[in-house]
Amino acid sequence: MVTYLYWAAVIALVILSLFVGSRMGSLKIGAIAAAVFFFSGWLAYYFHYEQVFVKRFGGVMRISVPDGYRHIGATWKEDNLWIENYDPNTNQCIFTEYSKGNILEGRVIIQDCNPLLGNLSSQP
């Protein structure tokens, strides 16, 4: 819901700048201001607000598991989302970070990780 309100505010600024530009007799300046508002709103959403909205206000984010991997879990560390997947072909657990704007993504690979077999020491 917060995402819809954010985009409604961005679109309202775009329309308002076009309206004010046309009323002042310079639709070109209004169009430039509208483009600046739209692109700055889009950049702010993509690089900052998307994960904040999802984590704090219940927004929606879609992430797909790579082919051949099995999803194990997900957790938040501050405003960054960490996804754990298992690759059965290489027997690796792969933790992937989804940061704001996907600029500083981390990746941790654990070798010889086999979470799907369970605890082998408890078997007779």
Side-chain angles (χ1 to χ4, degrees):
M1 181 68 174
V2 173
T3 303
Y4 297 130
L5 294 174
Y6 175 81
W7 283 112
V10 169
I11 291 170
L13 280 173
V14 168
I15 292 171
L16 182 66
S17 63
L18 287 172
F19 177 73
V20 168
S22 69
R23 297 294 283 175
M24 292 177 63
S26 179
L27 189 57
K28 183 178 179 180
I29 292 175
I32 291 170
V36 167
F37 283 130
F38 178 75
F39 285 115
S40 62
W42 179 76
L43 289 172
Y45 179 77
Y46 184 73
F47 287 106
H48 181 71
Y49 290 120
E50 182 181 24
Q51 288 193 22
V52 172
F53 288 164
V54 170
K55 182 180 177 193
R56 297 183 187 157
F57 303 111
V60 175
M61 238 174 101
R62 295 198 192 320
I63 297 173
S64 60
V65 177
D67 291 334
Y69 285 34
R70 294 186 180 233
H71 176 67
I72 305 264
T75 188
W76 290 96
K77 178 67 177 169
E78 296 175 3
D79 285 335
N80 298 335
L81 179 63
W82 283 85
I83 305 289
E84 180 184 8
N85 293 319
Y86 173 66
D87 184 3
N89 296 329
T90 60
N91 197 26
Q92 295 177 340
C93 288
I94 301 164
F95 292 86
T96 306
E97 177 185 17
Y98 291 90
S99 64
K100 295 177 186 175
N102 299 328
I103 291 179
L104 300 173
E105 289 187 348
R107 188 175 196 130
V108 177
I109 299 174
I110 301 175
Q111 301 289 333
D112 299 323
C113 171
N114 199 346
L116 302 178
L117 286 180
N119 190 356
L120 294 176
S121 64
S122 65
Q123 296 178 356

Short mmCIF file of all heavy atoms in Angstrom, two decimals, residues 86-123:
data_model
loop_
_atom_site.label_atom_id
_atom_site.label_comp_id
_atom_site.label_asym_id
_atom_site.label_seq_id
_atom_site.Cartn_x
_atom_site.Cartn_y
_atom_site.Cartn_z
N TYR A 86 20.73 -23.76 -2.15
CA TYR A 86 21.62 -24.92 -2.17
C TYR A 86 21.75 -25.39 -3.61
O TYR A 86 20.76 -25.56 -4.32
CB TYR A 86 21.07 -26.03 -1.28
CG TYR A 86 21.83 -27.32 -1.39
CD1 TYR A 86 23.14 -27.41 -0.95
CD2 TYR A 86 21.25 -28.46 -1.94
CE1 TYR A 86 23.84 -28.59 -1.04
CE2 TYR A 86 21.94 -29.65 -2.03
CZ TYR A 86 23.25 -29.70 -1.59
OH TYR A 86 23.95 -30.87 -1.69
N ASP A 87 23.00 -25.61 -4.04
CA ASP A 87 23.27 -26.15 -5.37
C ASP A 87 23.68 -27.61 -5.22
O ASP A 87 24.79 -27.92 -4.80
CB ASP A 87 24.39 -25.36 -6.05
CG ASP A 87 24.66 -25.80 -7.47
OD1 ASP A 87 23.94 -26.70 -7.97
OD2 ASP A 87 25.58 -25.24 -8.10
N PRO A 88 22.78 -28.56 -5.53
CA PRO A 88 23.10 -29.97 -5.35
C PRO A 88 24.18 -30.47 -6.30
O PRO A 88 24.87 -31.45 -5.99
CB PRO A 88 21.77 -30.69 -5.60
CG PRO A 88 20.90 -29.73 -6.31
CD PRO A 88 21.41 -28.37 -6.00
N ASN A 89 24.39 -29.82 -7.43
CA ASN A 89 25.42 -30.27 -8.37
C ASN A 89 26.83 -30.06 -7.84
O ASN A 89 27.71 -30.88 -8.06
CB ASN A 89 25.27 -29.55 -9.71
CG ASN A 89 23.95 -29.88 -10.38
OD1 ASN A 89 23.42 -30.98 -10.22
ND2 ASN A 89 23.41 -28.93 -11.11
N THR A 90 27.05 -28.94 -7.13
CA THR A 90 28.38 -28.64 -6.60
C THR A 90 28.45 -28.85 -5.09
O THR A 90 29.52 -28.67 -4.51
CB THR A 90 28.76 -27.19 -6.92
OG1 THR A 90 27.80 -26.31 -6.31
CG2 THR A 90 28.82 -26.95 -8.42
N ASN A 91 27.33 -29.22 -4.46
CA ASN A 91 27.26 -29.43 -3.01
C ASN A 91 27.70 -28.17 -2.25
O ASN A 91 28.52 -28.22 -1.35
CB ASN A 91 28.08 -30.65 -2.59
CG ASN A 91 27.69 -31.13 -1.21
OD1 ASN A 91 26.57 -30.93 -0.77
ND2 ASN A 91 28.62 -31.78 -0.53
N GLN A 92 27.12 -27.02 -2.65
CA GLN A 92 27.45 -25.74 -2.03
C GLN A 92 26.19 -25.04 -1.55
O GLN A 92 25.16 -25.09 -2.21
CB GLN A 92 28.14 -24.81 -3.04
CG GLN A 92 29.48 -25.27 -3.52
CD GLN A 92 30.05 -24.32 -4.56
OE1 GLN A 92 29.32 -23.54 -5.18
NE2 GLN A 92 31.36 -24.38 -4.75
N CYS A 93 26.32 -24.40 -0.39
CA CYS A 93 25.28 -23.49 0.08
C CYS A 93 25.72 -22.08 -0.31
O CYS A 93 26.86 -21.68 -0.05
CB CYS A 93 25.11 -23.57 1.60
SG CYS A 93 24.33 -25.10 2.14
N ILE A 94 24.83 -21.34 -0.94
CA ILE A 94 25.18 -20.02 -1.46
C ILE A 94 24.26 -18.98 -0.82
O ILE A 94 23.04 -19.04 -0.98
CB ILE A 94 25.05 -19.99 -2.99
CG1 ILE A 94 25.97 -21.04 -3.60
CG2 ILE A 94 25.36 -18.61 -3.53
CD1 ILE A 94 25.68 -21.38 -5.02
N PHE A 95 24.86 -18.07 -0.07
CA PHE A 95 24.14 -16.94 0.53
C PHE A 95 24.34 -15.74 -0.39
O PHE A 95 25.46 -15.35 -0.68
CB PHE A 95 24.69 -16.61 1.91
CG PHE A 95 24.43 -17.67 2.94
CD1 PHE A 95 25.29 -18.75 3.08
CD2 PHE A 95 23.32 -17.59 3.76
CE1 PHE A 95 25.05 -19.72 4.02
CE2 PHE A 95 23.07 -18.56 4.71
CZ PHE A 95 23.94 -19.62 4.84
N THR A 96 23.24 -15.15 -0.85
CA THR A 96 23.31 -14.00 -1.74
C THR A 96 22.61 -12.82 -1.09
O THR A 96 21.51 -12.95 -0.58
CB THR A 96 22.62 -14.33 -3.08
OG1 THR A 96 23.19 -15.51 -3.61
CG2 THR A 96 22.80 -13.20 -4.07
N GLU A 97 23.28 -11.66 -1.10
CA GLU A 97 22.72 -10.45 -0.52
C GLU A 97 22.05 -9.62 -1.60
O GLU A 97 22.59 -9.43 -2.69
CB GLU A 97 23.84 -9.62 0.12
CG GLU A 97 23.38 -8.31 0.69
CD GLU A 97 24.52 -7.47 1.20
OE1 GLU A 97 25.68 -7.73 0.83
OE2 GLU A 97 24.25 -6.53 1.96
N TYR A 98 20.85 -9.15 -1.30
CA TYR A 98 20.15 -8.22 -2.17
C TYR A 98 20.11 -6.88 -1.43
O TYR A 98 19.33 -6.70 -0.52
CB TYR A 98 18.74 -8.71 -2.48
CG TYR A 98 18.75 -9.94 -3.36
CD1 TYR A 98 18.77 -11.20 -2.80
CD2 TYR A 98 18.76 -9.81 -4.73
CE1 TYR A 98 18.80 -12.32 -3.61
CE2 TYR A 98 18.78 -10.93 -5.54
CZ TYR A 98 18.81 -12.17 -4.98
OH TYR A 98 18.84 -13.28 -5.77
N SER A 99 21.00 -5.98 -1.83
CA SER A 99 21.09 -4.69 -1.16
C SER A 99 20.26 -3.66 -1.92
O SER A 99 19.72 -3.94 -2.99
CB SER A 99 22.54 -4.24 -1.09
OG SER A 99 23.06 -4.04 -2.39
N LYS A 100 20.17 -2.47 -1.36
CA LYS A 100 19.42 -1.40 -2.01
C LYS A 100 20.04 -1.09 -3.37
O LYS A 100 21.21 -0.78 -3.46
CB LYS A 100 19.44 -0.15 -1.15
CG LYS A 100 18.73 -0.32 0.16
CD LYS A 100 18.86 0.94 0.98
CE LYS A 100 18.28 0.76 2.35
NZ LYS A 100 18.49 1.91 3.19
N GLY A 101 19.25 -1.22 -4.41
CA GLY A 101 19.72 -0.93 -5.75
C GLY A 101 20.65 -1.98 -6.31
O GLY A 101 21.17 -1.83 -7.40
N ASN A 102 20.87 -3.05 -5.60
CA ASN A 102 21.74 -4.15 -6.03
C ASN A 102 23.14 -3.67 -6.40
O ASN A 102 23.76 -4.19 -7.32
CB ASN A 102 21.10 -4.91 -7.19
CG ASN A 102 19.79 -5.53 -6.80
OD1 ASN A 102 19.59 -5.90 -5.66
ND2 ASN A 102 18.87 -5.63 -7.74
N ILE A 103 23.63 -2.67 -5.69
CA ILE A 103 24.96 -2.14 -5.99
C ILE A 103 26.03 -2.89 -5.22
O ILE A 103 27.01 -3.35 -5.78
CB ILE A 103 25.02 -0.64 -5.65
CG1 ILE A 103 24.15 0.13 -6.62
CG2 ILE A 103 26.45 -0.14 -5.73
CD1 ILE A 103 24.12 1.61 -6.36
N LEU A 104 25.85 -3.03 -3.92
CA LEU A 104 26.85 -3.69 -3.08
C LEU A 104 26.32 -5.06 -2.65
O LEU A 104 25.94 -5.24 -1.50
CB LEU A 104 27.16 -2.83 -1.86
CG LEU A 104 27.72 -1.45 -2.15
CD1 LEU A 104 27.82 -0.63 -0.87
CD2 LEU A 104 29.09 -1.56 -2.80
N GLU A 105 26.30 -5.98 -3.57
CA GLU A 105 25.79 -7.31 -3.24
C GLU A 105 26.93 -8.19 -2.75
O GLU A 105 27.99 -8.24 -3.35
CB GLU A 105 25.13 -7.95 -4.46
CG GLU A 105 23.84 -7.31 -4.83
CD GLU A 105 23.11 -8.06 -5.92
OE1 GLU A 105 23.70 -8.94 -6.55
OE2 GLU A 105 21.93 -7.75 -6.13
N GLY A 106 26.66 -8.90 -1.67
CA GLY A 106 27.63 -9.84 -1.15
C GLY A 106 27.24 -11.26 -1.53
O GLY A 106 26.09 -11.54 -1.87
N ARG A 107 28.21 -12.13 -1.47
CA ARG A 107 27.96 -13.54 -1.77
C ARG A 107 28.89 -14.37 -0.91
O ARG A 107 30.10 -14.14 -0.88
CB ARG A 107 28.19 -13.79 -3.25
CG ARG A 107 27.77 -15.16 -3.67
CD ARG A 107 27.92 -15.32 -5.18
NE ARG A 107 27.15 -16.47 -5.53
CZ ARG A 107 26.26 -16.53 -6.48
NH1 ARG A 107 26.04 -15.47 -7.20
NH2 ARG A 107 25.61 -17.63 -6.72
N VAL A 108 28.32 -15.35 -0.21
CA VAL A 108 29.09 -16.26 0.61
C VAL A 108 28.81 -17.67 0.13
O VAL A 108 27.65 -18.07 0.00
CB VAL A 108 28.71 -16.13 2.11
CG1 VAL A 108 29.46 -17.14 2.95
CG2 VAL A 108 28.96 -14.72 2.60
N ILE A 109 29.87 -18.43 -0.14
CA ILE A 109 29.72 -19.81 -0.63
C ILE A 109 30.34 -20.74 0.39
O ILE A 109 31.50 -20.59 0.77
CB ILE A 109 30.40 -19.98 -2.00
CG1 ILE A 109 29.73 -19.05 -3.02
CG2 ILE A 109 30.34 -21.43 -2.46
CD1 ILE A 109 30.40 -19.02 -4.37
N ILE A 110 29.56 -21.71 0.84
CA ILE A 110 30.04 -22.71 1.78
C ILE A 110 30.23 -24.01 1.02
O ILE A 110 29.28 -24.56 0.46
CB ILE A 110 29.05 -22.89 2.95
CG1 ILE A 110 28.86 -21.57 3.68
CG2 ILE A 110 29.53 -24.00 3.88
CD1 ILE A 110 27.82 -21.60 4.76
N GLN A 111 31.46 -24.50 0.99
CA GLN A 111 31.79 -25.74 0.30
C GLN A 111 31.34 -26.95 1.12
O GLN A 111 31.26 -26.90 2.34
CB GLN A 111 33.31 -25.85 0.06
CG GLN A 111 33.88 -24.72 -0.75
CD GLN A 111 33.47 -24.79 -2.21
OE1 GLN A 111 33.19 -25.86 -2.75
NE2 GLN A 111 33.41 -23.64 -2.84
N ASP A 112 31.07 -28.05 0.45
CA ASP A 112 30.68 -29.32 1.08
C ASP A 112 29.54 -29.13 2.07
O ASP A 112 29.56 -29.67 3.18
CB ASP A 112 31.89 -29.98 1.76
CG ASP A 112 32.98 -30.31 0.76
OD1 ASP A 112 32.64 -30.69 -0.38
OD2 ASP A 112 34.16 -30.17 1.11
N CYS A 113 28.57 -28.39 1.68
CA CYS A 113 27.40 -28.14 2.50
C CYS A 113 26.28 -29.01 1.95
O CYS A 113 25.97 -28.94 0.77
CB CYS A 113 27.02 -26.67 2.42
SG CYS A 113 25.45 -26.28 3.18
N ASN A 114 25.68 -29.83 2.77
CA ASN A 114 24.59 -30.68 2.31
C ASN A 114 23.45 -30.61 3.31
O ASN A 114 23.27 -31.51 4.11
CB ASN A 114 25.06 -32.12 2.11
CG ASN A 114 24.12 -32.88 1.23
OD1 ASN A 114 23.00 -32.44 0.97
ND2 ASN A 114 24.56 -34.02 0.76
N PRO A 115 22.66 -29.54 3.26
CA PRO A 115 21.60 -29.36 4.26
C PRO A 115 20.41 -30.28 4.05
O PRO A 115 19.60 -30.44 4.94
CB PRO A 115 21.19 -27.91 4.06
CG PRO A 115 21.47 -27.65 2.64
CD PRO A 115 22.70 -28.44 2.32
N LEU A 116 20.31 -30.92 2.90
CA LEU A 116 19.14 -31.73 2.61
C LEU A 116 19.25 -33.15 3.15
O LEU A 116 18.26 -33.86 3.24
CB LEU A 116 18.88 -31.77 1.11
CG LEU A 116 18.68 -30.40 0.47
CD1 LEU A 116 18.48 -30.53 -1.02
CD2 LEU A 116 17.50 -29.70 1.11
N LEU A 117 20.45 -33.58 3.55
CA LEU A 117 20.62 -34.91 4.11
C LEU A 117 20.31 -34.95 5.61
O LEU A 117 20.07 -36.01 6.15
CB LEU A 117 22.06 -35.42 3.90
CG LEU A 117 22.38 -35.86 2.48
CD1 LEU A 117 23.82 -36.33 2.41
CD2 LEU A 117 21.45 -36.96 2.00
N GLY A 118 20.36 -33.83 6.26
CA GLY A 118 20.11 -33.80 7.70
C GLY A 118 21.37 -34.13 8.48
O GLY A 118 22.48 -34.14 7.96
N ASN A 119 21.18 -34.48 9.75
CA ASN A 119 22.30 -34.78 10.63
C ASN A 119 22.67 -36.25 10.49
O ASN A 119 21.95 -37.13 10.92
CB ASN A 119 21.91 -34.44 12.07
CG ASN A 119 23.09 -34.49 13.00
OD1 ASN A 119 24.18 -34.85 12.59
ND2 ASN A 119 22.86 -34.13 14.25
N LEU A 120 23.83 -36.54 9.90
CA LEU A 120 24.26 -37.92 9.67
C LEU A 120 24.77 -38.58 10.95
O LEU A 120 24.77 -39.80 11.05
CB LEU A 120 25.35 -37.95 8.60
CG LEU A 120 24.91 -37.53 7.20
CD1 LEU A 120 26.11 -37.52 6.26
CD2 LEU A 120 23.84 -38.44 6.67
N SER A 121 25.19 -37.80 11.93
CA SER A 121 25.75 -38.38 13.15
C SER A 121 24.69 -39.00 14.04
O SER A 121 24.99 -39.79 14.91
CB SER A 121 26.53 -37.30 13.93
OG SER A 121 25.64 -36.30 14.34
N SER A 122 23.41 -38.64 13.85
CA SER A 122 22.37 -39.18 14.71
C SER A 122 21.84 -40.53 14.19
O SER A 122 21.04 -41.16 14.85
CB SER A 122 21.21 -38.18 14.83
OG SER A 122 20.60 -38.01 13.56
N GLN A 123 22.26 -40.96 13.00
CA GLN A 123 21.81 -42.23 12.47
C GLN A 123 22.66 -43.36 13.02
O GLN A 123 23.85 -43.20 13.25
CB GLN A 123 21.88 -42.22 10.95
CG GLN A 123 20.94 -41.19 10.34
CD GLN A 123 21.07 -41.17 8.82
OE1 GLN A 123 21.90 -41.85 8.26
NE2 GLN A 123 20.23 -40.36 8.20
#
